[in-house]
Amino acid sequence: MPIALTVALGLANLALLAVIFLKLNDKKDPGRIEDALRSVTADLAERVAKSAGDTREAVTMKLANEFQTLSERIRRELSEGRSEQESRLKTVTETLKGELNAIRDKVDARLMSIGEQVQSKLDKNIQEGFAHFQKVQEHLKNAEMQLQGLNAIG
């Protein structure tokens, strides 16, 4: 029961009590006045207690409903947040995969270029080595022929 209604009932009881008091006061019977006061006071106390209980129950119900609504909204927002986060994570993962593949391709191309350069230098060094070996062999042949020519003379 709303508080305004409780206050209105209290005022109505007070007015009733005043009327009873005035009527009984004319007869000058203190026992009847006390009985009437007790009756009105008991009625007022009962109504206030009932009103307090009704108000407490109404507040409890409203709080329970609000808590349920809030709980559902939080659950929904958390779910939406998780979905959004999952979507963003997927996007970032795909972007990173693409970037890593591009880096891998660049590294592979650079390694191939370095490998070709090394192979080219090795081939050149081998050719130079064979050419040098050929010259040394020719010098040795010339020296051997000169030695044979000296042996033939001597």
Side-chain angles (χ1 to χ4, degrees):
M1 185 180 295
I3 293 177
L5 186 59
T6 303
V7 170
L9 285 175
L11 289 175
N13 277 337
L14 187 60
L16 180 64
L17 179 64
V19 168
I20 291 172
F21 181 73
L22 289 174
K23 285 197 178 215
L24 291 178
N25 198 20
D26 287 342
K27 297 180 182 175
K28 308 245 179 189
D29 187 5
R32 287 181 70 191
I33 293 174
E34 287 178 9
D35 289 343
L37 283 174
R38 274 192 214 111
S39 172
V40 169
T41 304
D43 183 52
L44 182 60
E46 181 182 327
R47 288 181 187 194
V48 168
K50 184 178 183 316
S51 175
D54 291 347
T55 302
R56 188 176 302 118
E57 184 178 332
V59 168
T60 301
M61 293 290 286
K62 180 144 178 85
L63 285 175
N65 288 340
E66 289 296 321
F67 179 75
Q68 181 67 28
T69 302
L70 180 63
S71 178
E72 289 171 4
R73 187 173 56 194
I74 288 172
R75 201 173 303 126
R76 185 181 64 248
E77 287 179 8
L78 285 174
S79 177
E80 289 172 0
R82 281 191 298 271
S83 297
E84 183 179 321
Q85 202 172 32
E86 182 180 353
S87 172
R88 285 183 184 174
L89 186 58
K90 242 182 212 181
T91 302
V92 168
T93 301
E94 292 301 320
T95 302
L96 286 176
K97 280 181 182 178
E99 289 176 6
L100 284 174
N101 285 335
I103 291 170
R104 184 178 296 130
D105 292 343
K106 286 179 183 178
V107 168
D108 286 347
R110 182 71 178 136
L111 286 175
M112 289 297 287
S113 173
I114 290 171
E116 289 171 1
Q117 290 173 0
V118 167
Q119 187 63 45
S120 173
K121 286 182 182 181
L122 283 174
D123 291 344
K124 184 179 173 186
N125 284 343
I126 289 172
Q127 287 175 356
E128 288 175 359
F130 280 135
H132 184 67
F133 181 71
Q134 194 71 13
K135 287 180 186 176
V136 168
Q137 205 171 20
E138 285 178 23
H139 283 302
L140 286 174
K141 237 183 206 183
N142 287 339
E144 185 180 343
M145 290 176 100
Q146 285 177 353
L147 283 174
Q148 281 179 358
L150 286 176
N151 280 341
I153 300 179

